[in-house]
Amino acid sequence: MSWTRQDFPDTFLFGAATSAYQIEGHAFGGAGPTHWDSFAATPGNVVRAEHGARACDHYHRWQEDLDLLAGLGVDVYRFSTSWARVLPEGTGTPNAEGLDFYDRLVDGMLERGLKPAATLYHWELPQALADKGGWRNADMPDWFADFTEVVMRRIGDRVWSAAPINEPWCVGFLSHFLGAHAPGLRDIRATARAMHHVLVSHGRSIEVMRGLGLGNLGGVFNMEWANPVDDSPEAARATATYDAYYNRFFLEGIFTGSYPEQALEGLGPHLPQGWQDDFATIGQPLDWVGVNYYTRKNIAPAPGPWPALAEIDGPLPKTQMGWEIYPDGLYRFLKRVSDMVPDLPIFITENGMANDDVLSEGVVKDPERLAYIDGHLDACRRAIAEGVRLEGYFIWSLLDNYEWALGYEKRFGLIHVDFETLQRTPKASYHALAQRLR
Ligand code: FCB
């Protein structure tokens, strides 16, 4: 690898990220059912119908996992709090065991010198709320505000940073238009409503946290660079549409108080009545912007209704996910976000790769992962040198875990997990990074 900490500004923070449903084990500790459980139980949705009932059993092994984080030498641990663990019915009486768990976890981070970066919602919607329409329901912002309050009254005094919702695009579009994530809908009206309610919920949650006196609040957005397949005006138009509903919708909703025209072309007629009046709530001031970045997509025009585009297989080397490796996209997004909100610090809140890692005689060799991280850190350094206020980089993920609809097959971890024995084995990338971060 070509860098050390000295190649980054003194205050630059390195971190690792996980999320609740992907690692904890949702059968434990009184957590309520989530829409991921029912989605996974429906044939055809998830590879081998795998679910998060046990996952990495982090619920019981959290101390070992925090020790591994400390051994890695990162500054920040980005984790999430499960709504269904804290409020098994989505609203109403909290599960004391669930709150105790996050309380211990945060203390465990502080004891080890790790900064707790909390994300309130990373996709495990309580089933009881899904039954009421989930993100389509205009009451979601109220429910989410209440959940925010319950969690942050307990741990808000000790978290270093907090963000309401991981990747609004996935919660809205991937889950309600493409049907690839729970609740698995393919419905443009549901999509428009979910995308808007996610943003209103984000704003309400920020308001609640400010009211409780919390600082260092941000939003976490996933972005994929949109690359036209050719030079035609049709491809340019399709690419602009993709960029609008994927990369621009949520940021512009929050920072400019409007939605991009190319997204409204399709979604506009389906937004809830009075949506234009919600931007004051949506646009609550933030302290930082989080960017989750993995890949680019090659976009071609396609017949049919909005968005009238298709994703085409690209020529670049790919990860185990089939995602093209394209660090330049990260650099370009950093420049774009920085141009939009020059005063706000930016964090890469997720970046990493799935690899077909094999444990052999106690060792996992994953030079591909190191090269991937290296390439993306180069992009970060380029952006910093050009004045971008990038203040941290968090790797997805600490552990191999439940990769949603792709089950346990896709391995993103710096640490290998044997899903039979649950044994953790740090991979070569973990050891190399630990040396660099020391
Ligand atoms: C992101 C998710 C995370 C993980 C990575 C690979 O979109 O936030 O949970 O699935 O992708």
Side-chain angles (χ1 to χ4, degrees), residues 19 22 78 122-123 166-167 170 222 292 294 321 323 350 396 402-404 412:
S19 90
Q22 292 178 275
R78 177 172 177 254
H122 199 128
W123 305 354
N166 179 67
E167 302 188 348
C170 290
N222 57 312
N292 292 359
Y294 291 93
M321 298 291 273
W323 293 348
E350 286 182 25
W396 184 272
Y402 179 62
E403 181 43 39
W404 308 111
F412 273 93

Side-chain angles (χ1 to χ4, degrees), residues 88-421:
E89 293 296 318
T91 57
T93 312
N95 168 33
E97 255 190 90
L99 282 172
D100 289 349
F101 173 68
Y102 294 117
D103 193 71
R104 285 196 301 272
L105 191 66
V106 167
D107 280 346
M109 290 176 221
L110 296 176
E111 279 160 21
R112 291 166 179 81
L114 296 161
K115 296 182 192 311
T119 303
L120 279 152
Y121 180 77
H122 199 128
W123 305 354
E124 57 286 286
L125 188 69
Q127 187 60 56
L129 301 184
D131 291 343
K132 293 181 180 158
W135 291 102
R136 282 173 289 166
N137 191 318
D139 289 334
M140 273 300 273
D142 288 339
W143 298 331
F144 191 63
D146 291 346
F147 164 57
T148 301
E149 176 149 6
V150 170
V151 172
M152 287 305 167
R153 275 198 186 284
R154 186 65 183 268
I155 62 171
D157 57 334
R158 281 156 294 146
V159 296
W160 169 75
S161 74
I165 293 165
N166 179 67
E167 302 188 348
W169 182 85
C170 290
V171 179
F173 204 91
L174 185 67
S175 308
H176 295 83
F177 195 81
L178 301 178
H181 277 189
L185 296 182
R186 290 177 48 72
D187 184 287
I188 196 168
R189 195 166 182 80
T191 305
R193 279 150 198 265
M195 287 170 78
H196 185 68
H197 292 148
V198 162
L199 280 178
V200 182
S201 302
H202 157 91
R204 289 287 306 284
S205 176
I206 295 286
E207 271 176 343
V208 167
M209 291 194 277
R210 293 270 182 234
L212 292 172
L214 271 76
N216 207 16
L217 308 179
V220 173
F221 308 90
N222 57 312
M223 298 179 199
E224 284 187 352
W225 193 260
N227 181 50
V229 279
D230 57 38
D231 294 337
S232 66
E234 292 78 13
R237 190 181 147 78
T239 303
T241 301
Y242 186 89
D243 196 39
Y245 68 70
Y246 201 121
N247 301 314
R248 293 176 51 201
F249 188 89
F250 302 97
L251 279 177
E252 289 181 23
I254 290 173
F255 293 115
T256 71
S258 62
Y259 293 143
E261 201 47 51
Q262 296 95 329
L264 288 175
E265 270 173 31
L267 300 172
H270 303 289
L271 284 166
Q273 228 186 348
W275 60 272
Q276 296 90 340
D277 304 330
D278 289 330
F279 286 110
T281 302
I282 290 172
Q284 292 298 310
L286 297 180
D287 303 312
W288 52 268
V289 179
V291 174
N292 292 359
Y293 177 81
Y294 291 93
T295 190
R296 74 170 187 184
K297 286 286 158 61
N298 301 288
I299 306 299
W306 184 96
L309 56 83
E311 294 172 14
I312 307 293
D313 196 34
L316 301 179
K318 299 190 178 70
T319 71
Q320 192 194 17
M321 298 291 273
W323 293 348
E324 285 187 294
I325 300 173
Y326 185 60
D328 209 40
L330 179 58
Y331 165 79
R332 295 163 91 167
F333 276 130
L334 287 172
K335 298 284 281 184
R336 188 197 274 195
V337 174
S338 172
D339 285 345
M340 190 174 190
V341 284
D343 297 335
L344 288 191
I346 304 171
F347 292 89
I348 311 298
T349 31
E350 286 182 25
N351 177 243
M353 78 178 279
N355 196 44
D356 195 5
D357 298 318
V358 180
L359 175 64
S360 165
E361 295 172 4
V363 175
V364 181
K365 293 187 182 142
D366 59 345
E368 302 85 353
R369 180 168 288 104
L370 274 182
Y372 182 98
I373 292 171
D374 225 3
H376 287 80
L377 282 172
D378 276 351
C380 291
R381 282 213 306 274
R382 256 204 297 156
I384 292 170
E386 291 174 27
V388 171
R389 268 193 80 180
L390 178 65
E391 297 193 356
Y393 172 90
F394 309 161
I395 294 166
W396 184 272
S397 180
L398 178 68
L399 303 168
D400 291 341
N401 59 45
Y402 179 62
E403 181 43 39
W404 308 111
L406 300 171
Y408 291 96
E409 205 169 79
K410 305 294 182 217
R411 294 184 175 273
F412 273 93
L414 297 173
I415 296 167
H416 180 275
V417 177
D418 178 328
F419 290 106
E420 297 298 317
T421 64

